[in-house]
């Protein structure tokens, strides 16, 4: 009898609605967050996710997280390179077919309605300029739509909708979990600025020479050349049309001195993350969660999908710290 009373007391306040944010390779930290919640006796009764958060959350809801973790932690840089499925012809630099073939095979043809807990994947409809919440239908389709980073990954066409990454409008989708009646809402934010701006050295390391890094640079150079040809043509036309000598000198300065140490893909990614950071702060102000786990933005770089073990451990440590702080209150 006493054991039952203790069990009831221990379970009090232990149901969680989990919000998993957008953030590329940092999304592996979501796995660590889920593991700590389970180890500390919390029951996840609802999940809302965006982009990589929708993927990790969906895999967990389909009860395939351990298999996904085993696969992710076994990837090296060359494995990631093979999975990227790069393209210069599709409406995105990365088709993503190879990664999603694995994810689809892993979770099967399960629908969201069949999951054991309520699940929401957030995508963005570019044509309607609004969020789209997937709360029914094929799980693999919801995940694929939610992760389609604009200009980097091909969008998903579904009926009259053109769907891309939900992080474009809502990188930390807290609102879908409010109706879950969980004891607490815990959100994992993958874009924490850590109180300071990100420095150039955090996104570009001049001394880093890995096979993946060198290969990506070659790809970005090739991809950027498609844009650069148009830029050079425009620059030439503007220069020839100008009758002002100072304009001519100014154009020459731009052409000769502005050699950035990163390419078009880097610029797109940094622009997307800057927008997400502002949106996340807005969402947190409107719907503050009970527990917020902040994963530093500089924890890894864009293509660091081979760093699953380190990022999972980071997620574990920061989630445990946040829960201990919450429980102490």
């Amino acid at each position: 009898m006493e054991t039952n009373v203790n069990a009831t007391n221990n379970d009090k306040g232990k149901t969680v609605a989990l919000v998993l944010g957008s953030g590329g390779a940092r999304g592996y930290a979501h796995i660590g967050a889920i593991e700590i919640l389970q180890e500390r006796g919390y029951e996840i009764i609802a999940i809302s996710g965006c982009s990589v958060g929708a993927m990790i959350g969906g895999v967990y809801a389909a009860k395939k997280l351990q298999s996904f973790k085993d696969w992710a932690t076994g990837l090296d840089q060359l494995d990631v390179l093979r999975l990227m499925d790069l393209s210069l012809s599709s409406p995105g630099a990365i088709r993503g077919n190879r990664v999603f073939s694995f994810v689809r095979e892993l979770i099967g043809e399960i629908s969201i309605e069949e999951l054991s807990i309520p699940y929401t994947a957030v995508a963005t409809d570019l044509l309607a300029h609004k969020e789209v919440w997937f709360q029914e239908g094929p799980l693999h389709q919801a995940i694929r739509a939610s992760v389609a980073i604009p200009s980097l990954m091909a969008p998903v066409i579904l009926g009259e909708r053109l769907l891309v990454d939900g992080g474009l409008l809502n990188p930390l989708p807290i609102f879908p979990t409010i109706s879950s009646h969980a004891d607490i809402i815990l959100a994992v934010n993958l874009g924490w600025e850590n109180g300071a701006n990100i420095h150039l050295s955090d996104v570009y390391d001049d001394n880093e020479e890995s096979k993946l890094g060198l290969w990506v640079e070659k790809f970005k150079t090739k991809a950027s050349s498609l844009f650069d040809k148009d830029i050079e043509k425009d620059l030439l036309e503007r220069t020839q049309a100008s009758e002002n000598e100072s304009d001519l000198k100014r154009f020459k300065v731009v052409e000769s001195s502005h050699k950035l140490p990163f390419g078009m893909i880097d610029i797109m990614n940094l622009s997307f993350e800057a927008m997400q950071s502002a949106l996340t702060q807005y969402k947190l102000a409107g719907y503050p969660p009970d527990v917020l786990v902040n994963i530093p933005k500089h924890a890894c770089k864009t293509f660091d999908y081979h760093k699953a073990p380190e990022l999972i451990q980071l997620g574990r440590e920061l989630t445990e710290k946040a829960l201990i702080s919450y429980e102490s209150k």
Side-chain angles (χ1 to χ4, degrees):
M1 183 70 176
E2 183 179 349
T3 302
N4 291 335
V5 171
N6 288 336
T8 302
N9 289 338
N10 289 337
D11 289 341
K12 186 176 181 181
K14 289 286 191 175
T15 59
V16 177
L18 184 59
V19 182
L20 302 178
S22 170
R26 295 189 298 277
Y28 286 136
H30 291 325
I31 298 176
I34 291 172
E35 289 178 345
I36 288 297
L37 283 169
Q38 292 175 321
E39 290 171 15
R40 296 184 72 85
Y42 288 89
E43 179 189 1
I44 300 170
I45 64 169
I47 288 182
S48 176
C50 172
S51 194
V52 67
M55 177 183 289
I56 301 297
V59 169
Y60 168 77
K63 299 182 179 180
K64 299 293 183 179
L65 186 62
Q66 186 59 52
S67 297
F68 182 88
K69 178 184 176 182
D70 293 342
W71 172 74
T73 53
L75 296 176
D76 60 23
Q77 289 180 313
L78 290 179
D79 291 327
V80 173
L81 173 59
R82 297 186 188 101
L83 287 168
M84 278 186 176
D85 195 18
L86 295 160
S87 171
L88 291 177
S89 60
S90 69
I94 303 171
R95 280 186 292 260
N97 294 340
R98 294 174 185 170
V99 173
F100 290 104
S101 292
F102 169 78
V103 173
R104 184 167 184 173
E105 182 179 348
L106 181 67
I107 62 178
E109 298 298 322
I110 190 170
S111 67
I112 295 174
E113 300 95 310
E114 296 176 89
L115 299 175
S116 59
I117 58 175
Y119 167 85
T120 303
V122 178
T124 299
D125 185 347
L126 286 181
L127 301 180
H129 300 172
K130 66 179 183 180
E131 292 178 36
V132 175
W133 292 6
F134 284 89
Q135 297 177 320
E136 59 183 21
L139 176 60
H140 68 84
Q141 190 176 68
I143 293 173
R144 178 64 181 84
S146 185
V147 303
I149 304 172
S151 298
L152 285 182
M153 187 169 288
V156 172
I157 299 174
L158 190 60
E160 296 297 317
R161 291 173 171 170
L162 183 63
L163 300 171
V164 296
D165 196 315
L168 194 64
L169 292 179
N170 194 352
L172 195 63
I174 299 171
F175 189 73
T177 65
I178 292 177
S179 62
S180 66
H181 304 296
D183 295 317
I184 64 172
I185 295 176
L186 184 146
V188 183
N189 169 31
L190 300 181
W192 187 40
E193 297 283 3
N194 197 20
N197 293 327
I198 303 301
H199 299 289
L200 184 60
S201 59
D202 293 325
V203 294
Y204 176 80
D205 183 357
D206 194 31
N207 296 318
E208 184 180 82
E209 291 196 0
S210 64
K211 291 183 180 179
L212 176 62
L214 291 173
W215 188 92
V216 169
E217 283 305 312
K218 290 180 181 179
F219 170 78
K220 288 189 292 188
T221 299
K222 185 175 180 180
S224 294
S225 67
L226 300 178
F227 298 98
D228 292 342
K229 287 179 182 177
D230 292 334
I231 294 171
E232 290 173 3
K233 181 180 178 182
D234 179 63
L235 180 62
L236 181 62
E237 290 175 352
R238 291 166 61 191
T239 303
Q240 292 174 341
S242 175
E243 296 179 359
N244 188 312
E245 187 175 349
S246 63
D247 284 344
L248 291 173
K249 291 179 180 179
R250 178 163 56 85
F251 289 141
K252 290 178 182 178
V253 169
V254 169
E255 186 178 13
S256 63
S257 65
H258 284 57
K259 299 297 183 181
L260 296 176
F262 41 78
M264 185 68 70
I265 292 177
D266 293 307
I267 294 295
M268 290 188 295
N269 182 60
L270 289 172
S271 300
F272 190 62
E273 289 203 340
M275 177 190 66
Q276 284 188 313
S277 180
L279 284 171
T280 296
Q281 295 308 310
Y282 171 76
K283 296 298 181 182
L284 287 171
Y287 307 100
D290 299 292
V291 181
L292 178 62
V293 179
N294 282 315
I295 307 299
K297 185 181 289 187
H298 60 267
C300 71
K301 298 180 183 179
T302 305
F303 295 102
D304 285 350
Y305 287 97
H306 59 287
K307 294 185 177 180
E310 300 94 320
L311 292 164
I312 291 171
Q313 182 59 30
L314 180 64
R316 288 179 60 88
E317 292 173 0
L318 294 179
T319 301
E320 186 166 38
K321 183 179 178 180
L323 284 172
I324 290 173
S325 176
Y326 171 78
E327 292 165 358
S328 68
K329 300 175 182 179

